[in-house]
Amino acid sequence: MSSSDERRLGDRIAREIYRDPDYIDDPVLADYVQGIWQPLLAAARARGDMSPELDERFAWEIMLGRDRTVNAFALPGGYFGVHLGLIAIVSSRDELASVLGHELSHVTQRHISRLIAKQGQQTPWMIGAMILGALAASKSADAGNALIVGGQAVTAQNQLNFSRDMEREADRVGFGVMTQAGFEAQGFVSMFDKLQQASRLNDNGAYPYLRSHPLTTERIADMQARQALAPHGPVNAATTLEHAMVAARARVLSNPGVDALRALLVEASGIKLATLAPSRQASVLYGAALAASRLRDFGNAKGYLERLTALVHADAPAARLAKLLEAEIALTAGDAARATAVLATTPPVRSAAGGETAAPRRPELFLGAQIALQSGQVAAVSGAAQRLQSWVAAHPRDAQAWQLLSSAYGAQGQTLRAIRANAETQVAQLDYVAAMDRLKAAQDLVRQGGGKVDHIEASIIDTRRRQVAVLLKEQTLDR
Ligand SMILES: [Zn+2]
């Protein structure tokens, strides 16, 4: 299978994942993961693990899943899945980097391509269905449920599992990639320890990652050899305040039911915080503030938030997350004025050259747009639309940015642009049928509009409809 065929297979799988209710594009978590992922990709390029051809052809995209089980996996075409459950249990960026580096290496070493080649006469469509079936089965923390999904999925997963040699190679290459990217080798060792402990507890239900990544004696021996290279042995790297807050967010978002949120608050109120390490305190306070706000208990949310802000104020990345949370909570409470004021005080982002950059980061940009939309103020909405326009020009595959832009156009009464931006959301999520629907609706609107239509936008719509028709045809032929 050529790399473009593999990418098309990956696109087919990704399209289904985007539609899955468990798919989540939380800007704060995604931003944190990107801060680890981009250096790993750069290291893989620098080491020559990733050929320029693969670099160009594949998506290299991480999709987050709300699932609270511990899992990460590589898919065809350079797509990767990461469950929030994994983010919630890792103790440092280095640990997360070790898992992502391993999964990345399965793709750069063409392990996926080799597995697909082994499927022989199966059509790409069948392979895609098998992978989706295996994913559905592995997602379930309840083994009984996995059986209900079907014998087919279980066999599919066995067929699609990497060999022991591939796992060892992904460990070896992944270790090289993560250390070259500047992450601590210790993260690899402590992550391995963490998996080993879970495997001793036979906690397979909560750790689907262990089912696809059994800790064989060879892998453990390799790890012990690497451990000798790590300067301080298998001690856990310190958990930063920022990491503790991100992990707490992943815990809350992967467990959004009312009962779970209440349990989290009860737990937080019973903890003697002063006896805990600062990172543990930050985790408890962040989780409790977010949980309280989700329960619309804004009094409690404010109390936890104030304590969190006091605790982390001297640590810039953690203070930024606390500000973002404060603005998010004000938005949830319907206080757009307060949310705007808080967001305005988030520290400016400095460019590599040392100057202050004008462009906000993705979480700030999206939160700012949501606040503007809620406030309904003309100037605020128009400013948000301009910033989102520049963002999508640089990131045309960002579905959530297009969706927010669509809402901003809609709020300004620019219906044609709103429909086109919504079509781009569908294109970004590879749903060309839905995109064609929107573009046709936009063309109908142009026809009814008579003399008052935006002719530039109308001509963009015609062009996009022709382009998307080609994409749709390709997608249909693939079957
Ligand atoms: Zn693996």
Side-chain angles (χ1 to χ4, degrees), residues 8-149:
R8 282 214 290 280
L9 172 58
D11 283 353
R12 182 203 311 277
I13 294 164
R15 187 177 75 224
E16 297 305 318
I17 294 178
Y18 290 136
R19 290 180 188 173
D20 189 314
D22 277 344
Y23 167 73
I24 179 172
D25 177 12
D26 178 68
V28 172
L29 295 179
D31 188 54
Y32 188 74
V33 171
Q34 283 305 313
I36 298 167
W37 185 235
Q38 293 304 326
L40 291 174
L41 291 178
R45 279 181 203 114
R47 286 164 42 97
D49 294 330
M50 190 197 289
S51 68
E53 189 209 338
L54 272 199
D55 193 0
E56 149 109 34
R57 290 261 163 86
F58 279 10
W60 307 112
E61 181 183 324
I62 293 188
M63 297 181 284
L64 298 180
R66 204 185 301 274
D67 209 289
R68 57 178 175 273
T69 58
V70 175
N71 207 1
F73 45 88
L75 293 166
Y79 288 98
F80 299 83
V82 171
H83 286 181
L84 296 197
L86 172 67
I87 302 175
I89 63 121
V90 291
S91 309
S92 64
R93 307 168 77 228
D94 310 299
E95 286 187 359
L96 192 51
S98 78
V99 176
L100 297 181
H102 174 105
E103 294 306 317
L104 172 60
S105 304
H106 275 313
V107 177
T108 59
Q109 304 311 112
R110 306 303 310 264
H111 294 165
I112 300 241
S113 323
R114 279 190 255 157
L115 285 190
I116 294 172
K118 263 187 19 193
Q119 301 306 311
Q121 70 280 45
Q122 301 266 34
T123 65
W125 189 84
M126 272 303 301
I127 297 171
M130 270 164 60
I131 293 175
L132 286 164
L135 276 183
S138 75
K139 236 170 56 164
S140 165
D142 174 6
N145 206 346
L147 286 176
I148 295 166
V149 173

Side-chain angles (χ1 to χ4, degrees), residues 102-103 106 162 167 170 209 212-213:
H102 174 105
E103 294 306 317
H106 275 313
F162 297 120
E167 290 304 342
Y209 192 72
S212 54
H213 289 83

Side-chain angles (χ1 to χ4, degrees), residues 28 50 152 228 284 430 438:
V28 172
M50 190 197 289
Q152 156 120 36
V284 171
L430 310 170
R438 310 294 192 279

Side-chain angles (χ1 to χ4, degrees), residues 90-321:
V90 291
S91 309
S92 64
R93 307 168 77 228
D94 310 299
E95 286 187 359
L96 192 51
S98 78
V99 176
L100 297 181
H102 174 105
E103 294 306 317
L104 172 60
S105 304
H106 275 313
V107 177
T108 59
Q109 304 311 112
R110 306 303 310 264
H111 294 165
I112 300 241
S113 323
R114 279 190 255 157
L115 285 190
I116 294 172
K118 263 187 19 193
Q119 301 306 311
Q121 70 280 45
Q122 301 266 34
T123 65
W125 189 84
M126 272 303 301
I127 297 171
M130 270 164 60
I131 293 175
L132 286 164
L135 276 183
S138 75
K139 236 170 56 164
S140 165
D142 174 6
N145 206 346
L147 286 176
I148 295 166
V149 173
Q152 156 120 36
V154 177
T155 4
Q157 197 176 17
N158 289 338
Q159 280 171 8
L160 293 168
N161 269 357
F162 297 120
S163 70
R164 289 176 164 212
D165 285 344
M166 287 174 175
E167 290 304 342
R168 292 178 71 188
E169 189 178 38
D171 279 344
R172 180 175 57 74
V173 177
F175 182 81
V177 168
M178 81 166 280
T179 47
Q180 163 128 358
F183 295 99
E184 291 293 333
Q186 239 147 328
F188 206 98
V189 177
S190 60
M191 187 69 216
F192 216 79
D193 278 356
K194 196 165 261 166
L195 291 171
Q196 249 185 318
Q197 277 169 29
S199 125
R200 270 187 224 114
L201 294 171
N202 214 1
D203 199 2
N204 274 2
Y207 278 71
Y209 192 72
L210 278 172
R211 286 203 295 265
S212 54
H213 289 83
L215 302 172
T216 57
T217 44
E218 297 99 325
R219 288 187 75 203
I220 293 170
D222 287 351
M223 183 48 53
Q224 278 158 352
R226 256 171 228 124
Q227 201 165 308
L229 298 176
H232 312 292
V235 287
N236 283 339
T239 303
T240 61
L241 294 172
E242 181 192 28
H243 182 85
M245 291 157 78
V246 163
R249 184 174 183 86
R251 256 191 299 281
V252 174
L253 297 189
S254 63
N255 228 341
V258 169
D259 291 343
L261 296 175
R262 286 207 183 112
L264 214 144
L265 280 186
V266 169
E267 192 198 329
S269 68
I271 292 176
K272 286 204 179 64
L273 276 182
T275 62
L276 303 176
S279 63
R280 273 289 294 144
Q281 294 186 35
S283 160
V284 171
L285 293 170
Y286 188 101
L290 182 57
S293 110
R294 295 279 156 125
L295 291 167
R296 308 201 63 78
D297 175 358
F298 295 112
N300 242 328
K302 183 162 179 278
Y304 285 120
L305 194 56
E306 278 166 3
R307 292 163 70 191
L308 177 68
T309 304
L311 175 74
V312 305
H313 76 277
D315 178 313
R320 167 181 174 248
L321 288 185

